[in-house]
Amino acid sequence: RFRSSLIGKKFSATSPNGRFVEGARAIDGKVLSRMEAVGKNLFAFFSSHDNSNSSGSKEHAIDGDDGLVVMHVHFGMSGMWAVFNSTTEEP
């Protein structure tokens, strides 16, 4: 569900509590290009551009993208993500 909802979307990132200012700045305005889960670990790959091809489908490989940022999330014992529509839902 996350891949179909989030891949190819440009993200706006902030750090409201100030703990992740550099990390938020690194992915702010970037496009989520790929997501991979390994056990309790999630790797989110952000690039400077949308990797859609001419048919509109998403390319999952990001070769030679100098602006690539990889975000690692460890879900711990009970971590989870949720997807909200920012125009109609409050997180």
Side-chain angles (χ1 to χ4, degrees):
R1 175 177 176 219
F2 291 112
R3 285 185 180 104
S4 63
S5 298
L6 301 175
I7 299 293
K9 302 283 196 284
K10 185 180 280 193
F11 277 69
S12 174
T14 63
S15 179
N17 65 9
R19 292 178 56 205
F20 304 104
V21 173
E22 289 181 35
R25 188 178 303 125
I27 66 170
D28 187 46
K30 296 212 182 247
V31 175
L32 181 62
S33 302
R34 185 170 83 203
M35 294 177 80
E36 294 183 17
V38 180
K40 294 180 182 181
N41 299 281
L42 178 71
F43 298 92
F45 296 77
F46 292 87
S47 66
S48 299
H49 58 282
D50 186 353
N51 291 325
S52 297
N53 62 27
S54 59
S55 68
S57 65
K58 304 296 178 194
E59 299 292 334
H60 294 288
I62 308 170
D63 296 326
D65 183 355
D66 294 335
L68 180 66
V69 175
V70 181
M71 180 180 71
H72 170 243
V73 177
H74 187 275
F75 288 105
M77 295 302 290
S78 60
M80 64 179 217
W81 270 24
V83 177
F84 297 94
N85 181 337
S86 65
T87 59
T88 61
E89 297 178 273
E90 290 280 330

